[in-house]
Amino acid sequence: MTMHYQAADSRYDSMAMRRAGSSGLDLPLVSLGLWQNFGSTTPAQTQRDLVLGAFDRGITHFDLANNYGPPRGAAEEAFGHLLATDLSAYRNELVITTKAGYRMWPGPYGEGGSRKYLLSSLDASLRRLGLDAVDIFYSHRFDPTTPLRETMGALKTAVDSGRAHYAGISSYSAQRTREAASIAAEIGLNLMVHQPSYSLINRWIEQPDESGESLMDVLGDLGMGAVVFSPLAQGMLTDRYLAGVPDDSRAAKDGPLRPSFLSEANLHRVRSLNAIAADRGQTLAQMAVAWVLRDPRITTALVGASSVDQLDDTLGALANLEFDDDELAAIEQHARDAGVNIWAHRSSDL
């Protein structure tokens, strides 16, 4: 028999918050993403334990997208069930986000950045979640086939209609982000947050694009918060692959962590970074999360987890967020792009 859930009284005692850019919204330094481990292949009890365990530990921000599963939509449905039951009394303490941009249903209106797709998808997400509004609605990717003004206009409608409290974009390049923000300002939309991938071995947001600016600098200049996803490089920056590829790992399955990423050169980088983490008294995962949070322009590190124990290990990063110059110099020798940014082609049409 399922016990009635009551959130831990200590849930706000240890989790630090950081303001999302120039908005009024605070987010926990570590947030929970439900991209992986939240579809029909994961038992409902495991999902429940993970979400409630996260909230008990001060994680108030839960990130979804329309196509998270499998199958597509399953993560929102599962989270919606938890909102209707265990979390019904705590909705106002939560920041719930969703996105649309990638393929969700067949036909020409099932992906992209059109007004029809984005708003239809948001309505479907709200039904699955059982909500009147999400806290942040994102354009999940740049769509070169749709005028950016139309995409920004759809986000403005989402906010103006009360279906979302804030609007954001994900994986847009520096140039496309500045263009989107300019259009948003023209039409009266506050584009509040950007969600890019970022890790020790995926540092594209630090590097200038064709515009001559880096995404990190653009976000700082615009006052947009950065919710960075995949800070553990889809599991590469954990102890999972230090001795090879386990049979039950993501890399052994048909998923976003491709076996080709686990080249000997990349594994050498990972092992070298692991040695630095050990010298700091941290696991590799803990150091990886602490490292992305070293820059105050980063609002939160969005992590995935398959168990509460794994989440606890990641949250151990918060015990040591400081790096001295020698540590940063040592890390810099090995923290190089490893060719793992599978979202790069969705950032721009340039």
Side-chain angles (χ1 to χ4, degrees), residues 274-294:
N274 183 64
I276 298 170
D279 288 342
R280 283 172 49 83
Q282 291 183 311
T283 65
L284 177 55
Q286 289 168 352
M287 186 181 78
V289 169
W291 183 86
V292 299
L293 291 171
R294 79 196 187 286

Side-chain angles (χ1 to χ4, degrees), residues 2-342:
T2 302
M3 299 294 291
H4 177 70
Y5 170 70
Q6 183 171 341
D9 292 338
S10 60
R11 61 188 179 278
Y12 293 112
D13 290 352
S14 59
M15 176 62 73
M17 297 277 175
R18 192 175 282 180
R19 185 59 54 93
S22 58
S23 76
L25 185 68
D26 290 325
L27 295 176
L29 286 184
V30 174
S31 302
L32 186 63
L34 303 178
W35 174 31
Q36 305 280 350
N37 306 311
F38 222 75
S40 60
T41 56
T42 302
Q45 188 61 48
T46 301
Q47 296 174 353
R48 179 177 186 264
D49 290 344
L50 182 58
V51 168
L52 301 186
F55 185 46
D56 282 341
R57 287 155 176 77
I59 293 178
T60 55
H61 175 210
F62 296 89
D63 181 76
L64 298 120
N66 58 353
N67 62 339
Y68 289 175
R72 297 166 184 156
E76 289 179 331
E77 289 178 354
F79 196 78
H81 175 72
L82 292 173
L83 283 171
T85 54
D86 296 295
L87 294 173
S88 61
Y90 303 101
R91 169 63 185 102
N92 290 336
E93 296 185 42
L94 305 175
V95 172
I96 300 165
T97 70
T98 197
K99 302 178 284 291
Y102 290 99
R103 173 64 63 183
M104 185 60 188
W105 56 78
Y109 321 120
E111 68 173 331
S114 72
R115 180 179 182 85
K116 176 172 174 57
Y117 171 62
L118 291 178
L119 294 177
S120 297
S121 179
L122 175 56
D123 288 342
S125 290
L126 292 174
R127 287 193 294 271
R128 285 189 291 268
L129 290 164
L131 295 175
D132 295 324
V134 291
D135 294 293
I136 304 173
F137 181 52
Y138 291 92
S139 166
H140 205 167
R141 65 175 179 90
F142 176 74
D143 177 9
T145 70
T146 300
L148 200 48
R149 185 171 295 271
E150 179 174 341
T151 300
M152 293 303 105
L155 294 181
K156 177 173 167 56
T157 295
V159 174
D160 288 350
S161 65
R163 288 126 95 187
H165 298 140
Y166 300 92
I169 55 177
S170 179
S171 295
Y172 282 48
S173 69
Q175 179 169 332
R176 296 309 181 196
T177 296
R178 192 170 282 285
E179 290 174 357
S182 177
I183 293 169
E186 286 180 26
I187 64 175
L189 171 69
N190 177 23
L191 202 56
M192 190 268 289
V193 66
H194 190 300
Q195 190 176 129
S197 61
Y198 183 49
S199 73
L200 283 159
I201 55 175
N202 176 19
R203 301 180 62 174
W204 73 278
I205 69 173
E206 301 173 9
Q207 300 157 2
D209 67 6
E210 292 83 352
S211 69
E213 296 183 286
S214 72
L215 178 58
M216 190 84 89
D217 288 339
V218 169
L219 297 182
D221 182 54
L222 295 174
M224 291 178 67
V227 174
V228 297
F229 72 91
S230 205
L232 303 183
Q234 302 166 67
M236 284 181 66
L237 294 171
T238 68
D239 61 6
R240 196 94 167 105
Y241 302 102
L242 296 176
V245 183
D247 291 338
D248 63 344
S249 68
R250 288 188 198 173
K253 303 173 184 177
D254 182 20
L257 179 52
R258 300 165 187 169
S260 60
F261 294 167
L262 297 170
S263 65
E264 191 51 44
N266 282 349
L267 288 176
H268 176 72
R269 290 189 184 97
V270 169
R271 292 173 183 132
S272 299
L273 291 167
N274 183 64
I276 298 170
D279 288 342
R280 283 172 49 83
Q282 291 183 311
T283 65
L284 177 55
Q286 289 168 352
M287 186 181 78
V289 169
W291 183 86
V292 299
L293 291 171
R294 79 196 187 286
D295 191 311
R297 292 171 294 184
I298 304 298
T299 306
T300 182
L302 191 62
V303 304
S306 58
S307 67
V308 175
D309 286 345
Q310 186 182 41
L311 182 62
D312 280 337
D313 177 72
T314 303
L315 289 174
L318 303 180
N320 184 10
L321 294 174
E322 301 299 322
F323 292 86
D324 63 35
D325 291 342
D326 289 342
E327 288 172 329
L328 289 173
I331 289 169
E332 197 66 25
Q333 294 180 41
H334 308 288
R336 307 292 175 84
D337 271 324
V340 299
N341 183 8
I342 62 175

